[in-house]
């Protein structure tokens, strides 16, 4: 299955913008595949303001995030693989989503999901219903 990260990233970004807040992204800038202004990187991370009025040509793609923005008065192209985005959130209240290290791995137990029995249901992997009075 493909990664859910790009879909969630786009959804949270749109939610923040729709609520008239300023979307920010926390990025792992330690890899060579990340193109960001290195003078603003702290502890291998950078926070990017990706508000529509702060960036140009924003592309929230399935594989990467790219845009053009001004940093200390200089225009610069930014390129970040989606897997390097650690979080997307609102600057005003901090609400948003943090991403785990790897969201592409299948659930444990193989293609059928987990091997543990479901609470209040059969252990055959089929859904079960129960009448509650």
């Amino acid at each position: 299955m493909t990664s859910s990260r790009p879909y969630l990233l786009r959804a949270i970004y749109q939610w923040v913008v729709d609520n008239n807040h300023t979307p920010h992204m926390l990025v792992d800038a330690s890899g060579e595949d990340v193109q960001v202004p290195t003078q603003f990187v702290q502890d291998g991370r950078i926070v990017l303001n990706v508000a529509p009025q702060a960036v140009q040509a924003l592309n929230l793609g399935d594989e990467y995030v790219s845009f053009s923005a001004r940093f200390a008065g200089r225009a610069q192209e930014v390129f970040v693989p989606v897997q390097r985005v650690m979080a997307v959130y609102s600057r005003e209240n901090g609400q948003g989503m943090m991403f785990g290290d790897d969201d592409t791995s299948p659930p444990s137990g193989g293609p059928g999901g987990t091997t543990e029995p479901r609470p209040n249901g059969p252990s055959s992997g089929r859904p079960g219903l129960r009448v509650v009075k």
Side-chain angles (χ1 to χ4, degrees), residues 26-101:
L26 176 63
V27 172
D28 174 4
S30 62
E32 292 181 17
D33 54 349
V34 178
Q35 182 181 330
V36 295
T38 56
Q39 66 269 32
F40 299 105
V41 173
Q42 295 179 351
D43 298 324
R45 299 176 179 175
I46 187 169
V47 175
L48 300 168
N49 176 353
V50 288
Q53 58 271 34
V55 300
Q56 292 181 345
L58 176 64
N59 180 6
L60 299 173
D62 289 342
E63 301 294 323
Y64 61 88
V65 173
S66 66
F67 59 88
S68 177
R70 297 186 78 75
F71 296 90
R74 286 188 43 220
Q76 184 164 343
E77 296 295 317
V78 174
F79 179 87
V80 177
V82 169
Q83 295 305 317
R84 297 282 186 182
V85 177
M86 301 169 68
V88 59
Y89 60 94
S90 163
R91 177 186 68 194
E92 287 77 5
N93 62 14
Q95 290 186 348
M97 178 175 279
M98 291 198 70
F99 300 105
D101 291 335

Side-chain angles (χ1 to χ4, degrees), residues 98-127:
M98 291 198 70
F99 300 105
D101 291 335
D102 184 19
D103 62 340
T104 60
S105 60
S108 62
T114 104
T115 56
E116 297 177 20
R118 296 180 186 180
N120 301 327
S123 61
S124 66
R126 294 176 36 204

